Amino acid sequence: MFGKHFLSFFVLVPFVAFSQQFPLTKKNSTTITKHGVVIQDEYSWLEKMKDPAAVNWSNAQNEAINLHRDQIRDKYNIAGKIKEYNSFSSNGLPAKRGAYFYGLYRINKNKPSVLCYKKSLNEQAVELVDPFKVFEDINAAIFSYYPSKNSAKLAYEINTDGSDRKEIRFVSISPRVYLDDVLTNVKFSNVSWHNDSGVFYKRNSNVNNFERDSTFQIFYHKMGTAQAEDKLIFDATTQESNLAFRTIGDKLFIEEENAKETASNFYYASLNSESFTLTKFLENEATGFRFITYRNGRVYYSSRDSDWGEIKSFDIHNRNDDKTVVPQLYNNLLVDADFYEDYIICKYKTVGSTYLIVYDSEGVFLKRFDVPQGMNFNVNFLNEKTKELFVTFYSYTIPYLNYTLNIETGRSNPYFNDFLPPKPTLFPFNHFVTITTTYKSRDNQDVPITIVYKKGLNLDGNNPTLLKAYGGFGSVSSPSYDTGLLYFLEKGGVFAYAEIRGGGEKGRKWHKNGMGLKKINCFNDFIDAATYLINEKYTCPNKLAITGGSQGGLLVGVAMTQRPDLFKVAIPKMGVFDMIQFDKYTIGKYHFDEYGNPANEEEFKTLLSYSPYHNIKEDVNYPTTLIITSDNDDRVPPFHSFKFAGRLQNREAQKNPIYLKTLQSSGHYGKISTYQSSIEEKAEFYEFLLYHLNE
């Protein structure tokens, strides 16, 4: 991909620092001056991620971690055990979209997953799209798919490098025929059909994948025509607005959020013709308005006025005709709402539990279904004839359990068929203990935390422990089943997930109190979770690891640079580490509300106060660290990880090893294209964790 000859003299000369060999990282100082603050950046040359020098350096870093991985596997080699756990784990239901059921199936474990469909649940899946046949590349992966209104055609998003830039391709469903239409330069876009005749999508105009994002246009593609003929529906290039769209019934809806992320305009267009004339029905609606759906002439939404989430509606032609459909339930977070012809199905979350409420179409309460403590669930679909809701339950340690819930009688029954047969449980349901409680933050907030460990484990303060969190963008966390985590727990590990501020687990205020100038609360809550686990004798600093991805990678970077004494191991994934320049690349400019704008002096100083890259001290030995990034991550560019790793390694005080792993032909979600690659990535993570926590 890139030349490896330039500057190889400094890249390939290793030095011995702490029993491992690492590539020497040159220092080439540049000066950054902002708001009177002068900063010397010795590793800015690594921002040129595709430059041969940076590529050679990252390749040498990979060689170092690969050598160490071979050393680890003399003691831990768990890929086989993860595969065994997978084979004994039950599967969830396929997705019901339109007339058919869809799912991605691992037919060949060394090739990408194949998209298949079924006409009914209890029949053999039929191959629809094989990514390898489309590209003849094992890195090809389908990221999403969208059947047309009458389920005659299907659009799917696909690429071969893992990046956010994708192609939209099409297939006729029955009979299956790959269609010639191909849409390129698609980024951060869903696909919405106009009946079966065409699709709406967003087009990106970036030349360089890592430059500031320029996804400002919505187009309409008519099937059977060239992309060059596509009709421009909305152009926000001048305003640099963030766009969202979807079709519902006979209308196209567009949301245009301004560049400052303070307000949005909303438009609709009739789909009865292809003129798509837009009508504005909301103007300068303040941030916090969330469009949910549209039906029978009314817009359904949630507003910033409700901290815990509610559903309201108004006449699309009369904003003042506004009413509450489902009121908020204090301390009960409305996570999601599914609208059916006669019902509204709402998912709620409290500390440690989730539940489901069925309302009629007017918001009248009908039924409540409670979920066992510590478990999550997905609503798959409703059979309107039998009044059965198909739901899949799961937890950190319990695989997918499919049930039908009768919304008239309240009865629940496990669901099996010829292709989803009963399986013996991998472990008894009480084999692991799951506790959800709260701990006090330093400013006296009650922060939820979930702790999982094997029943009977001696909590003597000496257990290898993994602490994880996210804490950003109002994201609501939930348990996810992980066979790699099962292995860690079986080996005596403790897992903890903290629902820190910046997330949305306790409503809108919980998010607001962990963003912008208050972002430090997010990091403090995470550090306080670590001290709680230590004080409660789950673990000790010499047995505690932390991890997180993306915003969670930033979280780990801040925690390990602010309190290195608390942690033995840190594994940040796809993290943001240079906070005074995060806005210069890809989608950073969309995150001023979450982090602050470096152009604003007060916000710049706040960013600088916690920016992991800038808070590395020369005289501190930081925890053993594995920094993971991807070469094609155009959401959080790999230079963040490059610079963070280079500066951590290149200090005399650093005795613990600092590793950098750059996944190849991968994007923000890692190496996910094949079953084998996903197993390998998971195994490497837990092998590294166990090896260093048990040293």
Side-chain angles (χ1 to χ4, degrees):
M1 183 164 55
F2 301 100
K4 296 185 178 180
H5 58 284
F6 183 65
L7 293 180
S8 59
F9 65 92
F10 72 81
V11 173
L12 300 179
V13 178
F15 68 94
V16 178
F18 16 75
S19 79
Q20 298 292 328
Q21 291 186 333
F22 293 92
L24 179 64
T25 308
K26 73 171 181 177
K27 296 181 179 181
N28 186 8
S29 187
T30 59
T31 301
I32 300 171
T33 303
K34 288 189 177 182
H35 309 293
V37 179
V38 179
I39 299 170
Q40 297 296 324
D41 189 342
E42 295 177 322
Y43 303 97
S44 60
W45 64 275
L46 289 169
E47 293 174 25
K48 298 177 181 178
M49 295 160 283
K50 302 299 185 182
D51 186 272
V55 172
N56 286 348
W57 178 86
S58 66
N59 287 342
Q61 293 282 348
N62 273 354
E63 290 176 10
I65 183 58
N66 289 339
L67 286 171
H68 184 51
R69 181 195 61 195
D70 294 340
Q71 181 183 26
I72 290 173
R73 287 191 172 169
D74 289 339
K75 188 172 184 180
Y76 295 99
N77 192 346
I78 68 174
K81 182 60 69 172
I82 291 175
K83 290 178 183 178
E84 178 187 331
Y85 285 174
N86 284 344
S87 68
F88 283 102
S89 298
S90 50
N91 297 313
L93 292 164
K96 178 74 160 58
R97 298 186 184 178
Y100 303 132
F101 299 87
Y102 298 89
L104 288 163
Y105 293 82
R106 302 283 195 185
I107 295 174
N108 184 324
K109 294 183 178 181
N110 294 308
K111 290 182 179 179
S113 296
V114 174
L115 177 63
C116 300
Y117 80 105
K118 302 179 177 189
K119 292 182 179 179
S120 67
L121 274 177
N122 194 21
E123 69 174 38
Q124 181 69 47
V126 177
E127 179 183 309
L128 189 59
V129 180
D130 183 342
F132 188 79
K133 291 178 182 177
V134 175
F135 283 106
E136 294 189 354
D137 188 329
I138 63 167
N139 295 307
I142 296 174
F143 288 84
S144 53
Y145 50 90
Y146 309 86
S148 63
K149 183 175 181 180
N150 296 313
S151 297
K153 303 180 182 74
L154 179 136
Y156 57 96
E157 289 189 301
I158 188 170
N159 72 14
T160 59
D161 64 5
S163 73
D164 285 321
R165 189 187 291 254
K166 301 176 179 68
E167 292 183 3
I168 299 173
R169 293 184 175 234
F170 301 86
V171 62
S172 174
I173 296 179
S174 185
R176 186 193 74 169
V177 177
Y178 287 111
L179 303 178
D180 292 333
D181 303 61
V182 178
L183 308 179
T184 60
N185 295 323
V186 178
K187 194 171 184 181
F188 303 129
S189 179
N190 57 306
V191 175
S192 288
W193 280 89
H194 176 216
N195 298 320
D196 295 330
S197 58
V199 297
F200 299 93
Y201 69 98
K202 288 194 290 188
R203 190 186 297 177
N204 178 272
S205 60
N206 283 22
V207 175
N208 182 327
N209 275 8
F210 295 117
E211 66 183 310
R212 297 184 76 183
D213 183 63
S214 59
T215 308
F216 304 126
Q217 296 175 320
I218 298 173
F219 282 85
Y220 174 69
H221 172 76
K222 189 171 183 176
M223 295 300 297
T225 66
Q227 186 178 14
E229 299 174 25
D230 289 355
K231 181 175 182 178
L232 180 62
I233 303 298
F234 200 98
D235 190 350
T237 304
T238 302
Q239 299 83 8
E240 295 193 354
S241 303
N242 190 18
L243 301 175
F245 68 92
R246 64 173 134 162
T247 56
I248 305 174
D250 64 350
K251 287 181 172 55
L252 165 70
F253 290 91
I254 294 176
E255 177 183 359
E256 176 198 17
E257 183 185 43
N258 66 22
K260 294 182 179 180
E261 301 171 294
T262 57
S264 295
N265 297 324
F266 289 83
Y267 307 82
Y268 71 84
S270 171
L271 296 177
N272 292 327
S273 72
E274 293 189 358
S275 61
F276 307 127
T277 302
L278 293 171
T279 299
K280 185 185 294 183
F281 67 94
L282 284 179
E283 185 171 13
N284 290 326
E285 191 71 33
T287 299
F289 179 97
R290 184 170 72 88
F291 182 102
I292 300 175
T293 193
Y294 168 81
R295 63 179 183 175
N296 300 325
R298 300 188 70 84
V299 172
Y300 289 77
Y301 71 99
S302 67
S303 77
R304 62 192 176 281
D305 300 325
S306 165
D307 189 34
W308 294 94
E310 91 286 61
I311 300 174
K312 303 178 78 172
S313 76
F314 63 86
D315 188 310
I316 196 168
H317 301 298
N318 181 7
R319 181 65 177 87
N320 294 323
D321 180 9
D322 191 284
K323 66 178 183 179
T324 298
V325 180
V326 176
Q328 73 168 332
L329 302 177
Y330 187 72
N331 276 340
N332 293 251
L333 181 70
L334 176 59
V335 177
D336 199 9
D338 293 308
F339 282 69
Y340 297 92
E341 185 175 347
D342 298 319
Y343 305 100
I344 304 172
I345 312 294
C346 291
K347 177 179 179 179
Y348 290 92
K349 173 182 170 64
T350 62
V351 175
S353 66
T354 55
Y355 63 91
L356 183 152
I357 291 182
V358 180
Y359 301 93
D360 72 9
S361 59
E362 298 300 316
V364 176
F365 174 91
L366 296 178
K367 282 283 186 301
R368 170 170 168 157
F369 295 91
D370 288 301
V371 177
Q373 189 84 2
M375 295 200 75
N376 191 22
F377 68 91
N378 294 330
V379 174
N380 294 292
F381 62 93
L382 173 68
N383 186 322
E384 301 259 10
K385 292 181 180 179
T386 65
K387 308 301 181 184
E388 287 181 316
L389 194 65
F390 286 72
V391 179
T392 301
F393 300 94
Y394 53 92
S395 74
Y396 286 116
T397 58
I398 299 174
Y400 305 101
L401 307 174
N402 301 308
Y403 274 74
T404 59
L405 310 178
N406 191 294
I407 60 178
E408 287 189 340
T409 66
R411 291 195 186 99
S412 63
N413 291 295
Y415 176 80
F416 304 106
N417 64 30
D418 295 341
F419 302 94
L420 289 169
K423 283 189 174 184
T425 57
L426 186 59
F427 298 104
F429 285 173
N430 65 351
H431 189 73
F432 298 102
V433 177
T434 300
I435 298 171
T436 298
T437 184
T438 61
Y439 63 92
K440 289 290 185 183
S441 68
R442 64 192 68 187
D443 58 345
N444 207 38
Q445 295 294 310
D446 290 317
V447 183
I449 188 169
T450 298
I451 304 168
V452 187
Y453 55 90
K454 187 176 179 179
K455 186 178 180 180
L457 184 69
N458 183 20
L459 302 178
D460 59 358
N462 198 39
N463 300 300
T465 298
L466 177 63
L467 171 62
K468 185 177 182 180
Y470 185 75
F473 303 96
S475 177
V476 179
S477 62
S478 58
S480 58
Y481 180 65
D482 180 357
T483 49
L485 178 61
L486 284 183
Y487 183 89
F488 177 71
L489 296 172
E490 267 292 279
K491 290 296 182 181
V494 175
F495 174 75
Y497 193 99
E499 298 177 3
I500 59 180
R501 280 174 285 185
E505 292 90 351
K506 293 180 70 173
R508 293 177 186 268
K509 291 180 182 176
W510 198 245
H511 176 210
K512 290 179 181 177
N513 287 327
M515 63 185 292
L517 295 175
K518 296 181 179 180
K519 194 67 189 175
I520 194 64
N521 289 332
C522 159
F523 310 126
N524 289 343
D525 286 355
F526 189 60
I527 292 169
D528 293 345
T531 58
Y532 171 80
L533 293 171
I534 293 167
N535 292 339
E536 295 298 313
K537 302 298 182 182
Y538 287 101
T539 191
C540 62
N542 200 44
K543 290 286 186 176
L544 180 56
I546 49 176
T547 193
S550 196
Q551 148 68 29
L554 165 65
L555 180 68
V556 171
V558 174
M560 64 177 282
T561 51
Q562 291 201 355
R563 288 297 306 273
D565 56 305
L566 286 180
F567 313 111
K568 177 68 179 297
V569 175
I571 310 180
K573 300 179 179 181
M574 287 68 175
V576 190
F577 302 116
D578 183 346
M579 294 307 297
I580 68 169
Q581 300 203 89
F582 77 93
D583 60 312
K584 288 172 54 179
Y585 299 88
T586 64
I587 62 171
K589 63 180 181 180
Y590 298 131
H591 298 332
F592 289 153
D593 57 339
E594 187 68 28
Y595 298 124
N597 187 344
N600 176 287
E601 183 173 1
E602 182 182 16
E603 294 172 2
F604 165 78
K605 290 181 177 178
T606 298
L607 289 163
L608 187 60
S609 71
Y610 66 75
S611 177
Y613 176 64
H614 298 96
N615 281 276
I616 297 170
K617 296 179 175 61
E618 290 299 315
D619 59 350
V620 174
N621 180 26
Y622 292 99
T624 296
T625 302
L626 172 58
I627 302 165
I628 301 173
T629 187
S630 290
D631 61 347
N632 293 318
D633 187 352
D634 50 355
R635 195 173 307 184
V636 179
F639 86 81
H640 284 280
S641 296
F642 289 5
K643 291 172 64 174
F644 192 51
R647 188 172 181 189
L648 283 169
Q649 288 175 350
N650 214 4
R651 298 168 305 109
E652 290 185 6
Q654 189 61 42
K655 306 304 179 186
N656 296 321
I658 306 292
Y659 295 97
L660 171 66
K661 176 75 172 181
T662 303
L663 302 170
Q664 302 299 310
S665 299
S666 300
H668 196 61
Y669 297 106
K671 198 75 172 175
I672 60 172
S673 58
T674 69
Y675 178 77
Q676 190 61 38
S677 62
S678 64
I679 292 295
E680 188 74 12
E681 189 175 329
K682 183 179 294 186
E684 287 184 16
F685 176 90
Y686 285 104
E687 288 164 353
F688 186 93
L689 191 66
L690 284 164
Y691 181 88
H692 286 284
L693 287 182
N694 289 324
E695 277 186 317

